[in-house]
Amino acid sequence: MRTETPWSTLPARDHLLAGVGGAAGAPVLDVVVPVYNEEKDLEPCVLRLHDHLARTFPYAFRITVADNASTDRTPEVAERLARSLPGVRSFRLEEKGRGRALRTVWSLSDAPVLAYMDVDLSTDLNALLPLVAPLISGHSDLAIGSRLARSSRVVRGTKREFISRAYNIILRSSLAARFSDAQCGFKAIRREVAQRLLPMVEDTGWFFDTEMLVLAERAGLRIHEVPVDWVDDPDSTVHIVRTATEDLKGVWRVGRALAVGALPLDRLARPFGDDPRDRGIGGVPRGLARQLVGFCVVGALSTLFYLALYSLFRIGVGPQLANGAALLVSAVANTAANRRLTFGVRGRGGAVRHQAQGLVVFAIGLSLTAGSLAALGAASGSPSHTTELAVLIAANLAATVLRFLLFRAWVFPDRDRAAAGPAAVPAPPTAETIHDLRDAR
C-alpha cells in the first residue's frame, strides 16, 4: 500500500499485493475484538476465530484483544492467548468504551486493513473474507456487515429487531444515511482512511460506528455492505435503553455539526481519477469533470432561483431594477454554493474575499443581461414578459460559461486550494498523539 501521499487528499486505493505481510512482515488484516469482563467467552471466541482465519484467509493476519478496563480475569485470559497462539496479541485500556478501544488499537496498528467483531461471534465467520475483500482489492474504503439486507438470515427477538430497524429509520430520516445497518458489530476499514477519519469521530462508546459511517458517507467514501447470517446472543450485556439514549444524543450532535459545516470532510476526499477507468482520460485538468458537473447543477438551480426572483420583483418595479435585484441575490447564493459544492472550499477563511470577487463576476453578468434587455427594449419597444425571460435565459447561458472560467481561474484557483489543503489536514496520528487524545477525553 502506498504511504507517500500529500495530505490534502487521500491516495488512490491500491490492490494489496499477495506478497504483502507474511511471517516477517506486518499482517494484512488486523481483527480487533473489544471486550469488557468476558472471561467466559473470550477464549472460545479467539480460538474459533484464529482457526477460521488460519484455514481460510489467504493473507497474513493478526487478532488483537482490546480489553476495556475489565475487572474480572479477562486480562489474564487475553495474555495467555497471546502467548500461546501465533498472531494474537492483547491490548489493555484503563477506560471503558468500545469506540475508544477501536480508535486506539486501529490508530496504532500497522496492518493496511483493520476490522473488528463482537466477542460473541454472532455473525457467521464465513462473511469475514467477503467483508475485507473489497478493501484488499482497492474497491472500497469501508465495509460493514448488514443484518437488514434482503439475503441476510437473522435469528433474534422481536424487541431487538424493532429497535434496530427503528434506529436505522431515524438515521435515514435525520442524517440522510444510505447504509442499511449501523449497529452490526462486524466492520472493516482501510488504514489510510482510518488515519484521517478516526480523529474526527468524537464518540467513545456504541455510537462510534454510526458516527464513523455517517462522516465517511458524507465525505463520499465508498462503503461496501455484506449480507450476513446473524444469531442473537441471549447473554449480551448491552444495556438497550441507555445505548439507545446515547445514540440519539449522538445523532443530534453529528446532525448539528454537519448542518453548520463544522467538520472538515474535505480531508477525506479521494483524488479525481481514483477509478482506474478515469486514468485513461488525457488532457483533462484534475477535477475539471467533477467541477463541471457541480457547477452545472448549482447553475441550473441558481437560474431557477433568479427567474423566480425576477418574476417576483417585476410585479412592482421595472425590468432593469428587477433584473439587478434578482441577479444580486442569486449571485451571492451562487458563489456560496459553488465555493462549497463545486470547488470544495470549506471553512470561513477567504469567504469575504470570494464573495467580493463573486460580485465582480456578478457585475459582468449584469452587464450582459442588462445590455440584452436594453437591446430588446430598443428593438421592440414593449416586449412581452415571455420574450424578456427568453432573452434573459440566452444572456445567462453566455454569462454562465464566463462565470465558470472566472471562478476556476480567479476566484477559486487550484493553487489556492492546494496551498490551503496541507495546512488544513494534520499528519496521521502517532502513538504519542493518540495517547494525548485519550488523556484529553
Side-chain angles (χ1 to χ4, degrees), residues 47-85:
L47 290 175
R48 179 182 164 196
L49 176 60
H50 188 275
D51 175 70
H52 177 84
L53 288 170
R55 287 186 297 103
T56 65
F57 194 68
Y59 292 84
F61 66 87
R62 177 195 295 140
I63 300 172
T64 301
V65 179
D67 175 27
N68 275 146
S70 295
T71 57
D72 62 359
R73 295 181 55 255
T74 297
E76 301 172 24
V77 176
E79 288 292 340
R80 185 174 70 249
L81 290 169
R83 290 193 301 268
S84 60
L85 291 175

Side-chain angles (χ1 to χ4, degrees), residues 148-373:
L148 303 181
R150 289 180 180 272
S151 57
S152 298
R153 296 183 296 180
V154 177
V155 178
R156 61 176 168 181
T158 305
K159 180 180 179 181
R160 285 182 176 270
E161 180 75 10
F162 173 79
I163 292 175
S164 179
R165 292 188 177 275
Y167 180 62
N168 282 281
I169 291 175
I170 291 174
L171 292 181
R172 289 176 178 270
S173 59
S174 61
L175 298 179
R178 296 189 298 272
F179 48 84
S180 66
D181 192 352
Q183 295 176 312
C184 182
F186 196 69
K187 296 181 175 69
I189 185 172
R190 285 175 68 101
R191 183 181 63 189
E192 78 273 14
V193 176
Q195 289 174 337
R196 299 282 188 88
L197 180 57
L198 297 184
M200 299 168 59
V201 180
E202 292 187 18
D203 192 79
T204 59
W206 292 95
F207 186 69
F208 174 88
D209 302 49
T210 301
E211 185 171 357
M212 178 180 69
L213 290 173
V214 169
L215 298 186
E217 187 174 73
R218 285 299 185 94
L221 298 181
R222 183 175 294 159
I223 302 174
H224 180 76
E225 294 198 23
V226 177
V228 297
D229 296 340
W230 195 86
V231 179
D232 189 16
D233 178 14
D235 298 325
S236 174
T237 58
V238 178
H239 192 287
I240 297 178
V241 176
R242 182 171 63 243
T243 300
T245 301
E246 293 301 318
D247 285 347
L248 292 177
K249 291 180 180 178
V251 169
W252 167 255
R253 174 176 55 79
V254 172
R256 183 177 56 184
L258 291 172
V260 300
L263 297 169
L265 298 179
D266 53 324
R267 71 180 57 176
L268 298 174
R270 288 286 186 186
F272 178 76
D274 179 57
D275 190 318
R277 293 170 296 181
D278 298 335
R279 297 171 192 167
I281 302 177
V284 179
R286 182 177 180 181
L288 177 59
R290 182 189 60 79
Q291 291 176 0
L292 280 172
V293 172
F295 185 81
C296 289
V297 172
V298 172
L301 295 176
S302 298
T303 300
L304 293 176
F305 183 49
Y306 159 75
L307 293 174
L309 288 176
Y310 177 80
S311 298
L312 178 64
F313 294 156
R314 188 67 177 84
I315 297 174
V317 298
Q320 293 289 4
L321 186 57
N323 173 61
L327 197 57
L328 176 61
V329 175
S330 61
V332 172
N334 180 276
T335 300
N338 276 307
R339 181 178 188 269
R340 180 176 180 85
L341 302 178
T342 302
F343 297 97
V345 179
R346 303 290 199 276
R348 298 180 180 177
V352 175
R353 174 174 61 85
H354 292 152
Q355 282 293 350
Q357 292 172 308
L359 289 177
V360 174
V361 178
F362 149 76
I364 297 174
L366 178 61
S367 300
L368 287 173
T369 54
S372 300
L373 283 175

